[in-house]
Amino acid sequence: MSEFHGSATRGAAPRPDRTPPPPTRAKGLRQRLAELRGPDVPAKALDARALAALAANPGCARRAILDGAGVDKARLATALGAPSGFGQSQFALTRGNAFEARVKADGGAELLRLVHARLDPGAEPPAGAAVPDLTAHGPEGRTARTALALREATEAGGWTLLDHPMLALDVAGSLAFLEPDAVVVHPDGGWSVVEIKSFPMVDGAADPAKAGAAARQAAVYVLALERVAARLDPVPEVRHQVLLVCPKDFSNLPAGCAVDVRKQRAVTARQLARLTRIEEIAGTLPEGACFAPDRPAEELTAAVEAVPATYAPECLSACELAFHCRERARATGAVTRLGRPLRAELGGLATVAEVLSAARGTSGDPADPAVAALRRAAALRAEALRTAAERAAPLPADGPAVGAGEVGACR
C-alpha cells in the first residue's frame, strides 16, 4: 500500500501550497498599530501641523507611537481627565482666511510680487502667472492633479501659482495628505513653498516662537515636494527658502520674508524615519495595551505611562496631551518641565530631587561639570544669605548709646 502510494505521489502533479504567506512587515505593523488604536476606531490622519510638532520634540516616544498609530490625542486627553486647550480659535481662523484671500486676490499678483522680491529678485518680474485648476475627486485625485500641474508648469517655464495644492507624504506606512497655502513655480523651474499666517510682522520681524512653528510646518511641505520632484526627469529644484507672509504692523497689508528651513527639514526627515521604526516602541508595550478612548481611565493611564514622554513647556502649544504630561512631570519632579535649555545644562540629573541632592553634596560625581556647577552655585548662595543675615542682625542690647550730638548729626 505504501509502495503504491509512493508511486502515485511521484507520478501525480504537485499539490499547490495552500499555506498562507507570512505577513509582510508593513502589514504586520499596520495591524499592530490598529490594535493599539482600538478595534473599529478610525485612524486620525496626520497633517502638517502634527508633523511639524513631531519635529519640534523629536525625543518624545509617546507622541511618536500615538501619531504613528493614528490615535486621536484630543479624545485620549479627555478620557484621561486632562482635556486639551490646544487648537486655534474660530476668530483666528476667520481672520486668517480673510487675510489669505486678500494676499491671493487678483490672481495672486501681490503674492507673486513678494515671491519675486524676497526669493528670486534676479528673475523676470511676474507680469502674469498661470493659476491651474487643481480640483479633483478625493485627496488621492487632488494629489495626482497637483503632481501633473507641477510637471506641466516646470516644462512650460514662466511663473505659476498653485493655490492650495495637495501633497502626500508616507508616514509609518500610510499616506498623510498635506495642503500648503501655495506653491510657486519659478521661470527657471524651481519650486517654492509659501506659508501665509495671520500673526503680525512688526518692523520686518515676527514673533520668534510663531515664526519657528511656521518654519517647521513649511519644512514638512518642502519634504513632500521633494518626493514629487524626485519622480520627474530632470529633477527640479525644491528651494529651501520659503516665503512667510504676515500682516504688516497690525494692518491688513501683506509683508513677506524669506525663511531658510534646511535645519527644520533635516529634523523632520529624521523624525519621519524614526516613525517608520515605531514597531520598536510598540514592542516595548505590555500585552493588550490599547489607547482606545472608550477604555477605563486606569487602563488608559497605564497604557500611556508605558511609553516614555519628553515633556517641555513648548508642548502646551503643540500637543493635545500636554496637560496630562505636565501633571506627570510635576508629580515625578522631572526637570524637563523647567525647559529644554535647563535640562540640557543638567546632564544626567533628571529630577529636581537629584539636582538638590547634588547641590548639597550628598550625591553626584564631583567630576561631573553639572554637579560641580551646582555645588559652586549652592556655596555662593549660602555665602550671600549669610552676609545678608549678618547685615540685618540688630545691635546688641549693651551696645553704645546714641548721644545728643550724634542725634543732631543724624538730623
Side-chain angles (χ1 to χ4, degrees):
M1 181 69 178
S2 60
E3 183 180 357
F4 175 79
H5 176 75
S7 61
T9 304
R10 288 190 297 269
R15 296 181 180 180
D17 184 7
R18 299 184 182 275
T19 305
T24 63
R25 174 183 176 275
K27 181 179 179 181
L29 177 59
R30 285 197 297 268
Q31 182 177 356
R32 176 59 174 151
L33 295 180
E35 292 172 354
L36 291 174
R37 189 169 59 245
D40 304 325
V41 177
K44 187 178 188 299
L46 287 174
D47 57 10
R49 285 179 178 272
L51 293 176
L54 279 172
N57 193 1
C60 186
R62 181 175 298 171
R63 172 141 198 171
I65 188 67
L66 292 176
D67 282 342
V71 176
D72 189 336
K73 295 192 298 298
R75 291 183 60 195
L76 178 60
T78 302
L80 290 171
S84 169
F86 171 73
Q88 283 187 301
S89 67
Q90 189 61 39
F91 173 75
L93 290 173
T94 303
R95 181 183 59 189
N97 291 336
F99 177 69
E100 181 178 340
R102 180 184 180 91
V103 172
K104 294 179 179 178
D106 300 326
E110 181 64 17
L111 177 58
L112 289 168
R113 185 191 68 80
L114 290 173
V115 171
H116 175 261
R118 304 301 183 189
L119 300 183
D120 200 359
E124 180 184 352
V131 184
D133 182 12
L134 302 178
T135 56
H137 179 68
E140 293 86 355
R142 290 185 59 197
T143 301
R145 181 68 188 90
T146 297
L148 178 61
L150 285 168
R151 187 184 68 184
E152 292 174 346
T154 304
E155 294 173 350
W159 292 94
T160 301
L161 172 64
L162 277 69
D163 185 10
H164 282 286
M166 183 67 74
L167 307 173
L169 198 59
D170 183 86
V171 179
S174 60
L175 287 179
F177 294 100
L178 314 171
E179 187 176 354
D181 293 326
V183 171
V184 173
V185 179
H186 298 249
D188 63 359
W191 302 351
S192 291
V193 171
V194 177
E195 189 68 11
I196 303 174
K197 295 297 184 182
S198 60
F199 54 82
M201 190 177 294
V202 182
D203 294 332
D207 178 82
K210 295 179 179 179
R216 289 190 294 271
Q217 186 173 342
V220 176
Y221 300 137
V222 169
L223 203 59
L225 272 179
E226 289 177 348
R227 302 294 191 268
V228 180
R231 296 193 292 268
L232 301 183
D233 187 19
V235 177
E237 177 193 7
V238 179
R239 297 172 181 248
H240 289 161
Q241 272 199 330
V242 305
L243 180 69
L244 176 62
V245 182
C246 301
K248 180 180 180 181
D249 299 332
F250 301 101
S251 68
N252 205 27
L253 299 175
C257 68
V259 181
D260 193 321
V261 298
R262 283 177 293 183
K263 179 181 178 181
Q264 292 85 351
R265 180 216 164 275
V267 173
T268 302
R270 286 196 301 269
Q271 183 65 357
L272 292 181
R274 183 172 179 267
L275 271 183
T276 61
R277 299 191 298 270
I278 56 176
E279 67 270 18
E280 299 174 6
I281 305 175
T284 64
L285 295 176
E287 189 67 27
C290 181
F291 303 111
D294 57 352
R295 297 294 180 95
E298 297 80 5
E299 183 179 338
L300 277 179
T301 301
V304 170
E305 293 303 314
V307 189
T310 306
Y311 171 77
E314 295 86 350
C315 296
L316 293 173
S317 61
C319 182
E320 295 87 343
L321 277 181
F323 289 166
H324 173 81
C325 295
R326 183 178 64 176
E327 290 179 7
R328 297 299 176 181
R330 287 174 174 174
T332 58
V335 296
T336 53
R337 64 189 176 92
L338 304 177
R340 291 195 186 96
L342 179 59
R343 175 68 186 90
E345 293 289 339
L346 292 174
L349 305 174
T351 66
V352 175
E354 292 177 359
V355 172
L356 295 177
S357 178
R360 297 187 186 106
T362 56
S363 68
D365 182 5
D368 186 342
V371 174
L374 286 169
R375 292 181 181 177
R376 176 60 178 162
L380 291 174
R381 178 179 181 274
E383 181 181 351
L385 291 176
R386 184 170 55 254
T387 303
E390 291 174 354
R391 291 178 178 176
L395 291 173
D398 55 351
V402 179
E406 296 180 31
V407 172
C410 290
R411 293 177 182 176

